[in-house]
Amino acid sequence: MEKANPVAPVHEVNSEAIEAQVKEMMERVARSKEKQHLKAEDQSKLTQLRLSFNNSLAKLSDASTKEVGLHKLQAIIKGNTTSQALHVYLGSIANASKDSTGGKELRVLLLGFIAKAYNDRLRETTDKTGSLNKTVIKMCEIVRKYLPVTSTHTS
C-alpha cells in the first residue's frame, strides 16, 4: 500500500516562489529604468534651464540688452519655481559675479525677484532637506560679492 505524500513536490513549490521572485525583480528593474529615464529627462531640462538662464543673465551686462534680459529672466523664474531651479538660479548668479563687469544692481534686483517668486518656498534643496536660513544666507553672500561693503571707519 502506497502512502500519500502530504507535502507538495518540491519542484512545484519552488517554481511558484521563483516565478514570484522573478516577477518582483522584473518590476523593480522596470521601476529603476523608469526612474533613470526620469532623472536623465530632469537633468536635460535643468541643463536647458541653466543655458537659457545664463544666456539671459549675460544680457544684463550690456546696456542695449539689459531690459530684454531682465524680462526674460523674470519669465524664466516665474515659469519654474522648483527647488532644483532655485539651485540653478543662485548658482548662475553667484558664478556671474566672478566675471561680471556690469549689471550688478540688476543681478541683486533679480535676487529680490527670486525671493518674491518663491516666497515661503525659498529652499534650495541640494540634499534631502532644504533650509530657508541656508538659502537666505547664500543669497546674502551673493549680494555681498556684488555690492561689497566698504569701511568708512576713520581713525
Side-chain angles (χ1 to χ4, degrees):
M1 176 170 9
E2 266 184 59
K3 275 187 158 180
N5 188 354
V7 178
V10 173
H11 67 281
E12 288 179 25
V13 173
N14 284 340
S15 69
E16 288 176 7
I18 290 172
E19 282 180 30
Q21 287 178 340
V22 167
K23 183 178 179 181
E24 182 182 330
M25 287 176 63
M26 288 175 66
E27 288 173 355
R28 273 192 264 150
V29 167
R31 283 192 303 268
S32 175
K33 284 182 179 180
E34 185 177 317
K35 283 182 183 178
Q36 288 174 351
H37 175 70
L38 289 176
K39 280 185 179 181
E41 194 174 292
D42 287 346
Q43 286 296 78
S44 176
K45 286 180 182 177
L46 286 176
T47 300
Q48 288 294 79
L49 177 67
R50 183 175 283 109
L51 287 172
S52 178
F53 194 81
N54 285 336
N55 286 339
S56 296
L57 199 57
K59 292 179 181 180
L60 297 182
S61 298
D62 186 352
S64 65
T65 59
K66 68 182 180 183
E67 190 174 326
V68 172
L70 186 60
H71 288 299
K72 176 70 174 163
L73 289 164
Q74 290 173 336
I76 291 170
I77 293 164
K78 282 181 184 177
N80 194 346
T81 56
T82 65
S83 60
Q84 294 88 356
L86 178 61
H87 182 70
V88 169
Y89 305 148
L90 296 182
S92 294
I93 294 170
N95 287 337
S97 72
K98 295 175 186 171
D99 52 31
S100 173
T101 56
K104 291 179 181 182
E105 293 85 3
L106 290 175
R107 287 179 176 86
V108 172
L109 179 69
L110 197 58
L111 289 171
F113 183 81
I114 290 170
K116 187 175 180 181
Y118 276 83
N119 201 1
D120 62 343
R121 296 173 293 115
L122 190 64
R123 288 171 176 76
E124 179 186 20
T125 56
T126 51
D127 55 3
K128 295 275 184 207
T129 60
S131 167
L132 178 62
N133 289 341
K134 286 182 184 179
T135 304
V136 170
I137 289 170
K138 184 173 183 175
M139 292 175 82
C140 289
E141 288 172 352
I142 294 170
V143 169
R144 194 177 67 193
K145 285 181 188 177
Y146 282 114
L147 307 172
V149 177
T150 56
S151 177
T152 57
H153 185 54
T154 58
S155 298

